[in-house]
Amino acid sequence: MNKIFIVDDDDSILKLYKLFLEFKGFDIIDQAKNGTEAVDKYLRFRDKPDLIIMDYHMPSKNGIEATKEILKIDGNVKIFLISGDYSIKNEALAAGAICFKRKPFSLQELYSSLATIFSYESNIISSKIHVC
């Protein structure tokens, strides 16, 4: 079962993703409400997630800043960055995100992106490869 860590400052999004992704068979190992909390939690994980779904606009530390810090800790972690701000796509991918998705999107689009990420997982040599 693929383990996912969800980072978003919106409680309703956290709940929605958790319910939907668990229904689809994913293991949600934890959630964080901002980039600072995400980095802190990542440092304490015993069993690391297979993927982090990270929002961009958050208080304390945005998703790109958190992505860079987490990748310094573990260069192999896969981060899927999401935002309503399409102008940050190239910056997100350059920071090391393997996928960028612009909000709003349907839950089916989210699931399709995750299916793509995990179907390529065994072929991914570097977390710098953009799969979706």
Side-chain angles (χ1 to χ4, degrees), residues 11-23:
D11 284 331
S12 62
I13 294 292
L14 289 173
K15 288 177 189 173
L16 179 65
Y17 288 175
K18 183 177 185 333
L19 287 171
F20 177 75
L21 294 175
E22 285 178 341
F23 176 76

Side-chain angles (χ1 to χ4, degrees), residues 74-93:
D74 179 357
N76 294 318
V77 66
K78 293 166 187 65
I79 300 176
F80 177 179
L81 210 119
I82 58 175
S83 178
D85 183 357
Y86 192 72
S87 71
I88 60 104
K89 177 183 179 179
N90 290 336
E91 184 181 0
L93 297 174

Side-chain angles (χ1 to χ4, degrees), residues 51-53 78-82 86 89 93 97-102 109-120 124 127-132:
L51 179 74
I52 299 171
I53 297 175
K78 293 166 187 65
I79 300 176
F80 177 179
L81 210 119
I82 58 175
Y86 192 72
K89 177 183 179 179
L93 297 174
I98 64 164
C99 184
F100 176 87
K101 176 121 348 243
R102 182 178 182 191
E109 288 175 292
L110 174 63
Y111 179 72
S112 293
S113 292
L114 294 178
T116 299
I117 290 167
F118 288 118
S119 71
Y120 282 97
I124 294 175
S127 63
K128 305 288 185 211
I129 296 172
H130 310 135
V131 296
C132 59

